[in-house]
Amino acid sequence: MSNKSLVLGLAVAVSLGSAAKASVILNGSLETVGTSDGVNLSQASGQNLTIPNWSVHGVAGAGFNAVYDYGVVAGPLPAYMPASYNSCTVLLGFVGGNSCTNPDGTGHFVNLDGDPSFPAAISQTIPVGTNPLVALVLGQQYALTFSWAAVQRNDQFGPTTESLSVSLGSNLLFSPSSTSLPAGGFSGWFTKTVNFTYNGLGTTPNVLTFLASGTPSGLPPSINLDGISLNVVPEPASWGLVITGCGLLFFAHRRRKTAVD
C-alpha cells in the first residue's frame, strides 16, 4: 500500500469519526455566566446570570415557574438538593442502573420546576442550513443525548411524580412515563439518546425545548438536566468507509511490520 493511500484512509476515518462526535448544540453543559448555586434564573435578571445560548422560560406568574442553576460552589451537595442526592438510596427513589453522580461531570446543571401550574422550560434555537455539523439539515438523521434526574428539593416534603418532555418545534422527541418519588427522593441520573430525522415541520421547527412537569402542585416536583448534545448520525455507507479505512490502516501496519521482521 502506498503512503498516499494510507494517509487517505486515515483522513477518511478521522473526518467521519469527528463528524459523528460534533455537537450542533451550543453550551450543552449548561454553564452559566456568573458564579451561582441554587439561583432562580427566572428572576435573576438583576444578578447578571444567564445560560449562554439558551432561553429560560420560567418567569414567575407568566405561565411558567422557576429554572434554577446549580454548580459546585456550595461543595459536594448542591444547594437545595436532598440528602438522598449523595446517598442514592433505593428506598428514596434511586433507580438501579442510573448514575449516582452527574454524567456530565462537575460544573453547572439546571433544575426545572415541574409544578403543574407553572411548568418550567429551557430552549435553544438551532440554525438550519446545509452543513449538518453546525446546523439542522432537512432529511438528515441526528442523535440527541442528554442526562436528567427526578428530584425533590430539600425545602419541600412529600411524594411526587416527575416527567420530562423534549420537543423540536411541534415534534415530540421524548416523553417517558412519570417517575414516582417518595418524600425527599432522587432517581439518579438517566442518560437518554433519541434518534430522529429532521423534517422542518411546524411553526418553530428548529427550537429545541426541554420542559418539566409533575404532581402535585406546591411541593414541587422537579427535574435536573445536563449534558445535552446533538450529533449527526453518519449514513451506513459512511460507516463502511470508516471501517474500510481502519482496516486498510491495520493491514498496512501488519505488512510493514512483516517486511521489517
Side-chain angles (χ1 to χ4, degrees):
M1 172 179 286
S2 67
N3 290 334
K4 182 178 180 181
S5 297
L6 183 63
V7 172
L8 178 60
L10 178 61
V12 169
V14 170
S15 63
L16 289 173
S18 298
K21 295 179 180 179
S23 178
V24 181
I25 290 290
L26 299 177
N27 189 23
S29 290
L30 303 175
E31 300 304 326
T32 62
V33 174
T35 301
S36 57
D37 193 31
V39 172
N40 181 350
L41 294 177
S42 310
Q43 304 170 17
S45 58
Q47 302 179 52
N48 193 32
L49 290 171
T50 61
I51 309 176
N53 307 111
W54 293 90
S55 297
V56 173
H57 309 280
V59 179
F64 293 100
N65 202 353
V67 176
Y68 294 91
D69 174 73
Y70 293 100
V72 295
V73 180
L77 182 63
Y80 299 108
M81 292 293 103
S84 57
Y85 192 81
N86 274 350
S87 62
C88 299
T89 304
V90 173
L91 291 178
L92 290 176
F94 183 77
V95 177
N98 279 1
S99 174
C100 187
T101 57
N102 186 346
D104 199 49
T106 58
H108 295 97
F109 63 91
V110 298
N111 175 263
L112 308 176
D113 190 337
D115 191 298
S117 300
F118 307 100
I122 62 170
S123 66
Q124 183 171 140
T125 300
I126 305 172
V128 176
T130 58
N131 182 353
L133 301 184
V134 296
L136 292 169
V137 178
L138 283 174
Q140 177 64 54
Q141 188 177 25
Y142 295 87
L144 174 67
T145 300
F146 53 93
S147 295
W148 67 282
V151 63
Q152 184 181 44
R153 287 161 53 99
N154 68 9
D155 55 353
Q156 302 295 332
F157 188 84
T160 58
T161 62
E162 288 86 356
S163 186
L164 174 71
S165 63
V166 184
S167 58
L168 183 62
S170 57
N171 295 317
L172 183 64
L173 301 180
F174 175 73
S175 183
S177 300
S178 296
T179 300
S180 297
L181 293 179
F186 171 57
S187 69
W189 290 85
F190 299 88
T191 296
K192 179 68 177 179
T193 296
V194 179
N195 290 342
F196 68 94
T197 300
Y198 180 61
N199 57 23
L201 300 178
T203 56
T204 56
N206 59 322
V207 176
L208 180 67
T209 302
F210 293 82
L211 173 67
S213 60
T215 58
S217 178
L219 283 182
S222 67
I223 294 290
N224 287 350
L225 177 67
D226 205 359
I228 305 167
S229 64
L230 182 62
N231 303 320
V232 64
V233 177
E235 298 293 334
S238 299
W239 280 118
L241 288 175
V242 172
I243 295 172
T244 300
C246 292
L248 290 174
L249 289 173
F250 173 74
F251 284 113
H253 174 74
R254 286 196 61 184
R255 184 177 179 182
R256 290 186 62 188
K257 186 176 184 299
T258 302
V260 172
D261 293 344

